[in-house]
């Protein structure tokens, strides 16, 4: 049987989880479903957008099925939605209850602090994973239906990369919450890291002499390998998972040693 804290966290988050999953599914289905109309626009030209814009978006070929899917789902909006979901769910694990004054009641459960933090993280991480998996699952259905010539294994690779990216930022958000016990710093720190690393990835392909910045960005390991064209890249995915695991473990240990005022 699942630990009581995991079940409680899932009960508390069930409406948010269903709302995020439904919203991400609709977003993915609508944007990917526009491909037929997009492809059918006879007057649409690849050079309608400056090359620098395409490079900033990480899209080498906007009109190809893989290029369209990367631009519409995986380049910006898709990652933004699932990272927002992950941070929203993760902030409820420690920072939310502590700021609201409810941590004392939660810590009254007969478990150690490490077990408490681990169970709360496991519940939020599982929920975030389910939402992050939605785009990949939806696309496995939509891609053949709308006639996109993309191997489904490549679609699965891009979907797995989105999940790994969410694990990375879930760990970062959990560490920030465990360290501060406040919602504001969690949102500010995680948001700043997400924006800064996205810009590092995007600008590294546009500005001369900045190519090294991409190696500092989780987004490079997610989409910089161009999985919709090239398929699976296990080393990059494992790198994202490792960052999430290390930051999450650090958060658990920090919470165990920090005075939370109980």
């Amino acid at each position: 049987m699942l630990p009581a804290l995991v079940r409680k966290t899932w009960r508390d988050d069930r409406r948010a989880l269903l709302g995020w999953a439904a919203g991400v599914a609709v977003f993915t289905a609508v944007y990917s479903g526009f491909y037929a109309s997009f492809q059918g626009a006879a007057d649409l030209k690849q050079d309608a957008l400056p090359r620098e814009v395409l490079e900033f978006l990480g899209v080498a070929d906007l009109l190809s099925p893989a290029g369209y899917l990367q631009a519409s789902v995986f380049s910006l909006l898709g990652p933004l939605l699932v990272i927002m979901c992950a941070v929203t769910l993760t902030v409820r694990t420690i920072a939310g209850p502590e700021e609201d004054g409810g941590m004392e009641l939660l810590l009254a459960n007969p478990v150690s602090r490490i077990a408490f933090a681990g169970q709360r993280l496991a519940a939020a991480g599982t929920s975030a994973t389910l939402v992050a998996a939605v785009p990949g699952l939806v696309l496995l259905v939509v891609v053949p239906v709308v006639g996109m010539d993309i191997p489904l294994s490549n679609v699965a690779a891009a979907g797995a990369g989105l999940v790994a990216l969410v694990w990375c930022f879930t760990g970062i958000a959990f560490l920030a919450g465990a360290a501060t016990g406040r919602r504001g710093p969690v949102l500010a720190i995680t948001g700043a890291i997400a924006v800064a690393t996205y810009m590092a990835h995007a600008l590294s392909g546009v500005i001369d002499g900045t190519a090294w910045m991409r190696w500092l960005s989780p987004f490079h390991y997610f989409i910089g390998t161009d999985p919709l064209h090239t398929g699976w890249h296990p080393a990059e995915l494992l790198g994202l998972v490792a960052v999430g695991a290390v930051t999450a473990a650090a958060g658990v240990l920090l919470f165990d040693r920090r005075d939370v005022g109980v």
Side-chain angles (χ1 to χ4, degrees):
M1 181 178 292
L2 291 171
L5 278 171
V6 173
R7 299 197 304 272
K8 180 186 186 309
T9 303
W10 282 344
R11 285 196 303 270
D12 293 342
D13 292 345
R14 64 185 182 278
R15 291 183 181 177
L17 174 60
L18 291 174
W20 276 108
V24 170
V26 170
F27 156 78
T28 306
V30 169
Y31 271 74
S32 57
F34 279 153
Y35 174 69
S37 300
F38 185 86
Q39 186 185 40
D43 58 345
L44 184 63
K45 301 295 183 181
Q46 175 73 25
D47 57 6
L49 289 175
R51 181 172 181 81
E52 290 78 9
V53 174
L54 296 178
E55 291 178 348
F56 181 83
L57 293 174
V59 181
D61 181 8
L62 185 60
L63 300 185
S64 71
Y68 172 81
L69 204 58
Q70 180 167 322
S72 61
V73 176
F74 290 108
S75 180
L76 178 59
L77 292 181
L80 175 64
L81 285 174
V82 296
I83 289 173
M84 287 175 58
C85 171
V87 174
T88 299
L89 294 173
T90 305
V91 80
R92 299 182 180 190
T93 57
I94 291 177
E98 187 171 350
E99 187 171 358
D100 293 339
M103 184 62 75
E104 183 175 358
L105 179 61
L106 290 173
L107 289 177
N109 288 277
V111 294
S112 67
R113 279 194 181 189
I114 288 180
F116 169 85
Q119 290 178 28
R120 296 282 284 181
L121 173 62
T126 302
S127 297
T129 298
L130 291 174
V131 174
V134 167
L137 295 175
V138 170
L139 289 172
L140 288 175
V141 176
V142 173
V143 164
V145 171
V146 300
M148 289 186 177
D149 186 18
I150 308 173
L152 292 183
S153 61
N154 292 8
V155 174
L162 199 57
V163 171
L165 184 71
V166 161
W167 284 357
C168 175
F169 280 98
T170 295
I172 293 171
F174 184 78
L175 175 58
T180 66
R182 296 292 183 270
R183 293 184 182 89
V186 176
L187 299 177
I189 292 170
T190 312
I193 292 174
V195 171
T197 56
Y198 180 83
M199 293 301 293
H201 166 66
L203 294 176
S204 66
V206 177
I207 301 176
D208 292 338
T210 61
W212 60 270
M213 293 195 306
R214 71 185 62 183
W215 303 107
L216 304 177
S217 173
F219 293 92
H220 170 72
Y221 300 94
F222 157 54
I223 202 66
T225 56
D226 197 8
L228 289 170
H229 283 105
T230 61
W232 290 86
H233 296 268
E236 284 76 5
L237 299 185
L238 288 174
L240 291 173
V241 173
V243 172
V246 169
T247 51
V252 171
L253 294 176
L254 185 59
F255 178 74
D256 181 50
R257 297 173 182 176
R258 183 170 63 83
D259 180 9
V260 295
V262 298

